[in-house]
Amino acid sequence: MPCPRCGTVSAPDQRFCRQCGAPLGTAETAQTAAVASAAPAVPQPPAPAPPPATSPVNPIPEGGLTLEDIVAWLQGGGYSAKVVTAEDGKRHILSNTQGDPFNIFTPGCMVGRCASISLVIAFSTKGKFDVSQLNEWNSDVPWCKAYYDTVNDPCLDMDISLWPGGTYESLNDQFATFNSVLGKFIAKYSLR
């Protein structure tokens, strides 16, 4: 309900104006309100300025990226990248970072577009990596999970969601995180 004195809108259950303290909701205030409505309106402060413009974002296309899109993104960042076909007929991407090959798998692709990717790198340790190291890593690092591959060598895996809502800027940030965490994994467990 508007205040009869200053025009401030108050909640219906309020008895007095929160701005000027005038009583609200009586017959007297109704008459005063009629007089006040004939008076010029109280000027309101200007609306706040809009937030400053941010740099444009580059959204991931609807449905995610194709394998070819992922190859182009990697190559655009200076990485080698090629689509390979595994023995089971599934296609994935082979690339290289920090001197080591890694794979990009694309689970759950629909109509050629992939809404997520899995970055996976494995290290040959010839049985010198034990489960306590995997457990230690997984309890300390939330972004990249370590596990054993089929021959008990350590692997590092990071899943990245691309769509809905993903941007190339976010993908670049998450890939930078993968590289940073990978460097820490290699250093911590002397995998060179």
Side-chain angles (χ1 to χ4, degrees):
M1 133 173 287
C3 172
R5 184 182 298 160
C6 70
T8 300
V9 176
S10 299
D13 61 338
Q14 285 184 293
R15 294 182 53 196
F16 298 94
C17 176
R18 60 188 167 111
Q19 182 70 28
C20 70
L24 302 172
T26 65
E28 176 188 342
T29 57
Q31 289 175 345
T32 310
V35 172
S37 65
V42 176
Q44 298 296 319
T54 59
S55 60
V57 294
N58 298 298
I60 298 289
E62 185 171 335
L65 298 177
T66 65
L67 287 174
E68 293 72 21
D69 292 336
I70 298 166
V71 166
W73 164 71
L74 284 165
Q75 291 174 343
Y79 291 87
S80 65
K82 65 179 179 177
V83 176
V84 296
T85 304
E87 291 177 14
D88 64 2
K90 292 182 181 176
R91 297 170 61 208
H92 67 278
I93 297 168
L94 178 63
S95 188
N96 199 296
T97 187
Q98 301 182 39
D100 292 301
F102 76 98
N103 295 290
I104 299 179
F105 298 102
T106 53
C109 291
M110 306 207 35
V111 193
R113 294 210 166 268
C114 308
S116 65
I117 60 176
S118 293
L119 310 174
V120 180
I121 189 164
F123 300 91
S124 178
T125 62
K126 298 178 178 57
K128 295 180 182 171
F129 203 88
D130 67 63
V131 73
S132 68
Q133 292 168 300
L134 293 177
N135 291 338
E136 174 189 47
W137 179 264
N138 288 333
S139 69
D140 292 344
V141 181
W143 305 285
C144 292
K145 292 302 172 195
Y147 59 91
Y148 280 137
D149 67 8
T150 56
V151 293
N152 292 332
D153 282 329
C155 294
L156 200 61
D157 182 335
M158 180 176 178
D159 295 330
I160 299 175
S161 179
L162 302 174
W163 186 83
T167 64
Y168 279 98
E169 291 81 3
S170 175
L171 178 57
N172 289 336
D173 289 347
Q174 291 180 75
F175 189 62
T177 298
F178 173 74
N179 275 304
S180 174
V181 171
L182 173 60
K184 292 173 184 171
F185 187 75
I186 291 169
K188 181 170 185 154
Y189 298 113
S190 304
L191 295 171
R192 294 273 160 136

